[in-house]
Amino acid sequence: MLYSVLTGLLCGAALGFVMQRGRFCLTGGFRDMYIAKDNRMFYSLLLAIAVQAVGVYALISFGIFQFTAGTLSILPAIIGAFIFGIGIILAGGCATGTWYRAGEGLVGSWIALAGYMLMATVMRTGPLGWIQSQAYSNTNGTNSIAETLGVNVWIIVSIFVAIVAFIIIRELKKPKVKIPGLKPKKTGIAHILFEKRWHPFFTAILIGVIATAAWPLSAATGRMFGLGVTTPSANILQYLVTGDVSFINWGVFLVLGVLLGSLFAAKMSGEFRFRMPDVKTGLNSFSGGLLMGFGATLAGGCSIGNGLVMTAMMTWSGWITLACMILGTWTASYFVFVRPLKKAEAKAAQAVTA
């Protein structure tokens, strides 16, 4: 247990620290792809996936641990991921983003986290548990892309890495836009860690390395998976309600570490402060959290478990759910941001011509 506590907390703290300082927000990234036509965060996600894919399959090749992709259930992956995408817009952050923003003192994220943990628990062992078991009663063959195509997984990984490298090099060649900032108050390593604006690609590489390290650290405790948020979040609530210590594993300490790492980063950078949402935002956050918990559990993972980890393992479920999460995010963004703006603009135009 001591090993699980130490390595889980350290790995989670590293992830929370990096995500907070690098402002690695997939919700904002997916939203900006649609609204602002800005793909930088999505490209950063692809880079993190590529780094993890190479690292994890190298570890597997050396016999450090084993991985089985399992079988694919398409329908729950599509429906669950789409609902999850809608939920993260209402909640103001994805599953991991909610944990790290809670560490910044954002009360709305705590509210979203409560809804997320509650619904994930209800979907796993509560009255809605039958939905997941029924949804996964039918499968659609192997979940491994390489097995489906009948090729070595390294061929898939190599092609993906080449595509990502091309995208990243193209982006780095674009003219840099200088953003004026305040005069630095810190110097040396303190300035770099707690004050300097991190490049999203640098953040992505660090996240890819942390995601890679999570696999052997977790596997050593008998948990054969890397970074994951939904099941550990549900396990925390299940333990608090039942007192059953079997719910406490490496993943639980991982998500608690994310909170602590983000809290430390926010405090040291001067970004921590309690921010209370208004009633409407609070209700949206809780509703979004409920949708996140439902969707992530049905889809078998959140934007990290599926969108970062299972994509790196080159599984169908990972890439299908990532695409559907983005579509869900875009759908919610239209109704939450774009449509109200268009109505306001139309109303203003009518007022001018009246």
Side-chain angles (χ1 to χ4, degrees):
M1 178 60 77
L2 180 60
Y3 176 87
S4 293
V5 174
L6 292 178
T7 59
L9 286 176
L10 286 174
C11 186
L15 181 63
F17 182 91
V18 170
M19 293 187 76
Q20 198 283 330
R21 289 296 301 121
R23 312 310 303 171
F24 194 83
C25 177
L26 294 180
T27 301
F30 296 159
R31 180 195 63 217
D32 290 347
M33 290 172 67
Y34 171 58
I35 296 178
K37 312 303 179 188
D38 184 351
N39 297 330
R40 286 177 298 176
M41 187 56 67
F42 178 67
Y43 294 154
S44 298
L45 173 61
L46 295 181
L47 178 57
I49 292 171
V51 171
Q52 182 186 186
V54 172
V56 170
Y57 274 109
L59 293 175
I60 292 174
S61 298
F62 287 122
I64 305 299
F65 62 92
Q66 296 180 339
F67 171 76
T68 303
T71 56
L72 170 66
S73 294
I74 295 179
L75 196 58
I78 293 175
I79 296 174
F82 185 81
I83 292 173
F84 179 84
I86 294 174
I88 64 178
I89 289 296
L90 293 176
C94 65
T96 313
T98 302
W99 273 101
Y100 96 68
R101 298 198 72 189
E104 295 178 336
L106 195 64
V107 177
S109 291
W110 282 98
I111 296 173
L113 195 59
Y116 172 58
M117 295 171 68
L118 174 61
M119 184 55 72
T121 303
V122 170
M123 282 287 290
R124 287 179 57 79
T125 58
L128 296 183
W130 64 272
I131 296 178
Q132 188 182 22
S133 59
Q134 185 67 32
Y136 283 88
S137 60
N138 296 318
T139 58
N140 305 98
T142 180
N143 193 26
S144 169
I145 297 176
E147 289 180 11
T148 300
L149 300 179
V151 299
N152 188 291
V153 70
W154 277 108
I155 295 177
I156 307 295
V157 171
S158 298
I159 293 174
F160 176 70
V161 169
I163 293 173
V164 173
F166 172 78
I167 293 173
I168 298 302
I169 292 173
R170 185 190 63 183
E171 288 296 306
L172 291 175
K173 286 183 177 179
K174 291 181 178 180
K176 296 181 180 179
V177 178
K178 291 186 177 181
I179 302 176
L182 299 175
K183 185 178 180 180
K185 296 180 180 180
K186 298 179 175 65
T187 59
I189 190 67
H191 170 67
I192 295 174
L193 289 177
F194 304 113
E195 195 173 39
K196 182 179 175 62
R197 184 182 180 90
W198 288 15
H199 194 287
F201 294 163
F202 172 71
T203 303
I205 292 173
L206 292 180
I207 290 176
V209 171
I210 294 169
T212 300
W215 279 94
L217 293 176
S218 176
T221 68
R223 177 182 175 273
M224 299 305 297
F225 202 75
L227 298 178
V229 179
T230 303
T231 298
S233 297
N235 285 347
I236 292 174
L237 184 57
Q238 288 171 313
Y239 168 72
L240 292 175
V241 172
T242 66
D244 187 351
V245 294
S246 65
F247 287 114
I248 303 299
N249 61 11
W250 191 88
V252 168
F253 298 112
L254 171 76
V255 295
L256 293 177
V258 171
L259 179 68
L260 295 176
S262 171
L263 174 62
F264 175 72
K267 291 289 286 185
M268 293 300 293
S269 61
E271 296 176 356
F272 177 88
R273 67 181 186 276
F274 286 110
R275 286 156 285 180
M276 186 69 67
D278 56 37
V279 174
K280 182 181 178 181
T281 302
L283 290 174
N284 284 342
S285 296
F286 187 72
S287 300
L290 293 175
L291 291 175
M292 284 167 54
F294 182 92
T297 307
L298 183 61
C302 64
S303 50
I304 293 296
N306 268 329
L308 174 63
V309 176
M310 292 302 281
T311 48
M313 304 314 293
M314 298 301 150
T315 63
W316 291 113
S317 63
W319 290 103
I320 289 172
T321 54
L322 177 59
C324 292
M325 284 177 203
I326 294 174
L327 289 176
T329 303
W330 290 356
T331 301
S333 294
Y334 172 78
F335 287 102
V336 174
F337 303 112
V338 177
R339 189 181 181 188
L341 180 60
K342 287 184 176 180
K343 285 186 175 182
E345 290 175 345
K347 188 176 181 179
Q350 289 178 352
V352 171
T353 57

